[in-house]
């Protein structure tokens, strides 16, 4: 019997290169690099240098990989970092002149922190965030997950588009990291029966699911079933009754050889829950209040019932004292949860999943919390593992039937498909049909072939789950609608040039290619049902 613990961080941002800055657009990427990815990389590299035997699983979605590796974003990120340093320096002088020693000290703290991150970006990691993650993967400390090309919501896409999302997504992960991915973060943890067979056809061995999808309750009223072949030897494994499914055990999905790993709601909720999560502690930095002049944050949570105007001044020293106690509490919760399992004779994998951007960006102290947790687990257990490592040493021997659904509200598709967004899915269906027609036409090399590839890129970008999500939540609805419509327009213009383009269209095509340039190897051929899948 083995007991192990897996932390999985899902890193994803919409493709926003050159598509606006503040408050919506490319600045999302700049903020995440400075607030999350650089501090996280610094921590993980430091732990490895110190000989700490930690393991962690990190998903890096293809649109994020493409943006992190983009030369324009690299240049503009350094400008953004310099601007943050300038703002902190100006605040230091301003607060010093006003006699505000508390915020003056914080401004100096920020200036020093930003300079440290800038130096790490330029020197320690050589302006190569992706390469810094890949380096950790090569030494076995990090497992890198792939995802759909643009984080498309797979159960609501046609089968050919699902293949395109996975074909381009896995190729992008290999091309950008040099790593052969084995695990995938299904966008929004969205699953429909048969998807596991398509996942398996791309050489992937595991994905993550919401625990509700292990249950007996039907979550989606009118379900979708992908046409799929039987695969692997898993059909010989016993099917577990839903009443006997355990959240701390990986299972093969239906007749495939692909494993599903469920997150542990209670343990993970100790971090992200709005009611009991650590980030809501009164000593931690308040994310939502910024200085009116500099935009920097000088206040602490204080009390969740207090309005932003009533927040007290932030103290890093007090906050990091809370980090120590919260990390120790979390490790104790992990150990207690494993100890209370009913069946102690079997192996167990306790898995928690979080958005990576929670750490450092949203929860400023989260990186330090994570570091203390990893050190304690590596020293005294339970052993931290990557999911791929665990599955190699203790492969699943039972299979389950998963329910269709997602991590979203009610665990169904309604966060992405509803009255506000239905028009998007209708438009995506029309575009997919147009892509099918384009794929069957002989495209001449040169300008028309380039235009066909651009059309494939634009359709993938329009399929991003971020656009309907932002419309539903209202966080950036107008921005998401504008982005969706712009990709649809560029798709149709690219397709028109692919079919009828002439030399005089060269300037316009170059403009389209400059506007959206990820996935250099994408093509209409990706929108095909690979492997001649046969319906059950």
């Amino acid at each position: 019997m083995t007991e192990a613990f897996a932390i999985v961080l899902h890193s994803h941002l919409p493709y926003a290169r050159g598509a606006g800055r503040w408050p919506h657009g490319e600045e999302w990427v700049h903020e995440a690099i400075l607030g999350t990815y650089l501090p996280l990389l610094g921590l993980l590299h430091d732990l490895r240098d110190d000989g700490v035997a930690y393991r962690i699983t990190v998903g890096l979605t293809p649109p994020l990989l493409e943006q992190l590796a983009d030369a324009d974003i690299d240049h503009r990120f350094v400008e953004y970092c310099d601007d943050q340093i300038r703002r902190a320096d100006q605040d230091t002088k301003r607060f010093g002149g006003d006699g505000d020693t508390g915020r003056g000290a914080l401004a100096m703290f920020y200036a020093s922190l930003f300079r440290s991150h800038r130096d790490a970006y330029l020197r320690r990691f050589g302006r190569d965030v992706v390469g810094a993650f890949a380096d950790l993967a090569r030494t076995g400390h990090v497992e890198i997950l792939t995802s759909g090309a643009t984080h498309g919501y797979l159960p609501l896409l046609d089968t050919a588009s699902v293949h395109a999302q996975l074909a381009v997504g896995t190729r992008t992960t290999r091309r950008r990291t040099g790593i052969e991915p084995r695990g995938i973060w299904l966008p929004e943890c969205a699953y429909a029966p048969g998807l596991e067979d398509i996942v398996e056809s791309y050489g992937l061995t595991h994905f993550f699911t919401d625990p509700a999808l292990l249950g007996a309750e039907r979550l989606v009223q009118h379900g979708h079933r992908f046409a799929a072949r039987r695969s692997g030897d898993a059909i010989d494994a016993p099917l577990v009754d839903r009443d006997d499914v355990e959240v701390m055990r990986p299972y093969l999905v239906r007749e495939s050889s692909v494993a599903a790993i469920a997150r542990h709601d209670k343990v993970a909720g100790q971090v992200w829950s709005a009611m009991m999560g650590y980030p809501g502690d009164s000593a931690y930095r308040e994310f939502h209040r910024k200085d009116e002049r500099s935009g920097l944050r000088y206040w602490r949570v204080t009390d969740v019932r207090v309005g932003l105007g009533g927040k007290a001044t932030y103290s890093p020293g007090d906050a990091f004292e809370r980090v120590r106690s919260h990390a120790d509490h979390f490790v104790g919760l992990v150990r207690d949860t494993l100890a209370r399992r009913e069946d102690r004779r079997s192996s167990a994998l306790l898995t928690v999943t979080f958005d990576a951007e929670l750490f450092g960006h949203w929860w400023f102290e989260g990186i330090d919390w994570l570091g203390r947790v990893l050190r304690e687990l590596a020293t005294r257990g339970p052993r931290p593992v990557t999911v791929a490592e665990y599955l190699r040493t203790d492969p699943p021997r039972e299979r389950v039937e998963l329910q269709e659904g997602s991590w979203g509200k009610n665990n169904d598709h309604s966060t992405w498909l509803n009255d506000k967004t239905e028009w998007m899915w209708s438009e995506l269906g029309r575009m997919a049909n147009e892509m099918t027609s384009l794929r069957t036409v002989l495209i001449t090399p040169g300008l028309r072939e380039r235009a066909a590839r651009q059309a494939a890129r634009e359709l993938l970008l329009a399929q991003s789950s971020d656009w309907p999500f932002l419309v539903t939540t209202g966080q950036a609805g107008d921005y998401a609608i504008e982005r969706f419509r712009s990709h649809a327009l560029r798709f149709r213009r690219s397709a028109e040039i692919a079919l009828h383009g002439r030399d005089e269209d060269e300037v316009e095509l170059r403009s389209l290619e400059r506007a959206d340039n990820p996935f250099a190897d994408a093509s209409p051929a990706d929108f095909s049902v690979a492997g001649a899948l046969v319906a059950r």
Side-chain angles (χ1 to χ4, degrees):
M1 183 211 57
T2 59
E3 291 184 343
F5 177 69
I7 295 181
V8 181
L9 302 183
H10 173 53
S11 310
H12 169 67
L13 291 171
Y15 188 77
R17 171 193 169 275
R21 296 290 282 270
W22 192 89
H24 309 305
E26 189 179 307
E27 199 157 309
W28 287 339
V29 186
H30 306 158
E31 289 177 340
I33 295 172
L34 185 61
T36 292
Y37 308 140
L38 286 176
L40 178 61
L41 282 169
L43 168 69
L44 298 180
H45 278 260
D46 286 347
L47 291 175
R48 186 180 65 175
D49 292 347
D50 291 344
V52 178
Y54 77 90
R55 298 290 186 271
I56 191 169
T57 300
V58 179
L60 298 169
T61 64
L64 178 61
L65 288 172
E66 292 286 59
Q67 291 179 100
L68 293 177
D70 184 84
D72 289 340
I73 287 182
D74 164 52
H75 175 74
R76 290 192 285 263
F77 168 69
V78 175
E79 290 181 341
Y80 170 82
C81 203
D82 289 340
D83 180 61
Q84 294 298 298
I85 293 170
R86 178 184 59 79
R87 290 167 184 259
D89 285 341
Q90 290 178 343
D91 275 3
T92 301
K93 296 177 181 178
R94 172 163 61 102
F95 294 137
D98 294 342
D100 190 340
T101 57
R103 280 189 286 179
L106 269 175
M108 292 179 64
F109 166 76
Y110 283 138
S112 175
L113 182 67
F114 297 155
R115 285 188 170 93
S116 175
H117 290 332
R118 184 186 190 278
D119 184 70
Y121 181 75
L122 296 176
R123 293 175 175 81
R124 186 177 190 182
F125 303 127
R127 307 176 87 119
D128 187 4
V129 171
V130 176
F133 277 113
D135 181 53
L136 293 167
R138 284 189 287 271
T139 59
H141 292 81
V142 168
E143 173 191 356
I144 293 178
L145 304 174
T146 190
S147 190
T150 59
H151 213 252
Y153 196 90
L154 303 182
L156 299 182
L157 294 176
D158 62 288
T159 303
S161 290
V162 172
H163 276 277
Q165 285 281 334
L166 296 184
V168 176
T170 52
R171 283 206 308 265
T172 300
T173 299
R174 285 193 295 270
R175 174 168 51 85
R176 288 300 186 188
T177 68
I179 303 296
E180 184 69 38
R182 288 291 176 247
I184 181 170
W185 184 273
L186 293 181
E188 318 297 2
C189 289
Y191 167 82
L195 183 55
E196 70 281 352
D197 292 302
I198 303 178
V199 165
E200 185 175 10
S201 72
Y202 289 93
L204 301 168
T205 62
H206 54 282
F207 64 82
F208 301 84
T209 187
D210 192 278
L213 275 60
L214 295 171
E217 181 182 358
R218 186 172 183 179
L219 303 170
V220 176
Q221 187 63 32
H222 302 290
H224 176 83
R225 183 180 295 271
F226 289 102
R229 57 178 171 79
R230 295 183 184 274
S231 58
D233 301 321
I235 189 65
D236 298 325
L239 178 66
V240 178
D241 187 271
R242 294 191 185 279
D243 293 335
D244 297 326
V245 172
E246 296 183 16
V247 73
M248 285 186 282
R249 186 182 299 177
Y251 292 98
L252 298 168
V253 182
R254 304 175 79 233
E255 293 88 2
S256 76
S257 295
V258 175
I261 296 92
R263 65 181 173 89
H264 196 289
D265 258 352
K266 179 180 178 182
V267 177
Q270 186 62 67
V271 177
W272 58 255
S273 169
M275 298 297 294
M276 64 178 184
Y278 302 132
D281 186 89
S282 62
Y284 289 147
R285 193 182 73 173
E286 172 62 57
F287 176 82
H288 295 95
R289 183 177 177 184
K290 297 181 178 181
D291 183 82
E292 294 180 354
R293 289 173 61 176
S294 67
L296 301 183
R297 297 177 174 91
Y298 293 104
W299 295 273
R300 59 185 177 91
V301 172
T302 310
D303 190 317
V304 294
R305 295 165 296 183
V306 171
L308 294 181
K311 302 295 184 179
T313 302
Y314 175 65
S315 168
D318 293 344
F320 291 117
E321 284 297 317
R322 300 299 293 152
V323 165
R324 183 179 294 107
S325 63
H326 284 152
D328 293 347
H329 177 268
F330 184 81
V331 171
L333 177 62
V334 169
R335 291 169 179 161
D336 290 346
T337 302
L338 286 167
R340 290 196 303 269
R341 286 191 304 129
E342 291 183 6
D343 184 5
R344 298 299 307 281
R345 297 168 298 177
S346 62
S347 298
L349 175 65
L350 197 167
T351 303
V352 294
T353 64
F354 308 108
D355 286 340
E357 294 77 23
L358 169 66
F359 299 89
H361 176 62
W362 293 98
W363 180 20
F364 182 60
E365 301 80 8
I367 297 290
D368 295 278
W369 175 90
L370 181 63
R372 185 171 177 88
V373 167
L374 290 174
R375 284 182 181 274
E376 178 63 21
L377 292 172
T379 302
R380 299 179 180 85
R383 65 187 177 97
V385 297
T386 65
V387 175
E389 171 192 4
Y390 181 88
L391 294 176
R392 283 195 299 269
T393 59
D394 204 338
R397 295 175 175 82
E398 298 173 313
R399 58 189 175 92
V400 294
E401 298 272 355
L402 291 183
Q403 291 289 326
E404 180 172 350
S406 71
W407 70 262
K409 183 180 179 182
N410 301 321
N411 291 111
D412 58 17
H413 304 318
S414 60
T415 299
W416 294 269
L417 173 59
N418 51 62
D419 291 343
K420 294 180 180 179
T421 65
E422 189 173 7
W423 66 274
M424 289 180 157
W425 295 102
S426 297
E427 180 70 350
L428 286 175
R430 288 189 288 270
M431 293 163 68
N433 289 334
E434 293 166 32
M435 176 57 72
T436 299
S437 300
L438 181 64
R439 188 172 58 82
T440 60
V441 175
L442 180 63
I443 302 295
T444 57
L447 179 139
R448 291 190 179 186
E449 181 182 26
R450 283 168 45 210
R453 290 184 175 276
Q454 189 62 30
R457 284 191 282 273
E458 297 294 355
L459 178 50
L460 288 168
L461 289 167
Q463 290 172 344
S464 169
S465 69
D466 298 295
W467 312 138
F469 178 83
L470 291 171
V471 169
T472 299
T473 61
Q475 296 174 3
D478 291 343
Y479 176 82
I481 290 171
E482 188 278 328
R483 290 294 310 281
F484 178 86
R485 286 176 170 162
S486 67
H487 291 308
L489 287 170
R490 292 171 188 166
F491 163 76
R492 290 202 164 89
R493 183 57 186 139
S494 298
E496 185 178 354
I497 295 174
L499 293 172
H500 310 295
R502 296 176 294 181
D503 290 345
E504 50 263 40
D505 294 317
E506 173 67 30
V507 173
E508 183 180 5
L509 178 58
R510 285 184 181 179
S511 176
L512 292 168
E513 291 171 330
R514 283 195 299 270
D516 295 320
N517 71 351
F519 318 128
D521 56 359
S523 77
D526 292 314
F527 289 83
S528 62
V529 180
L533 299 181
V534 179
R536 296 182 188 278

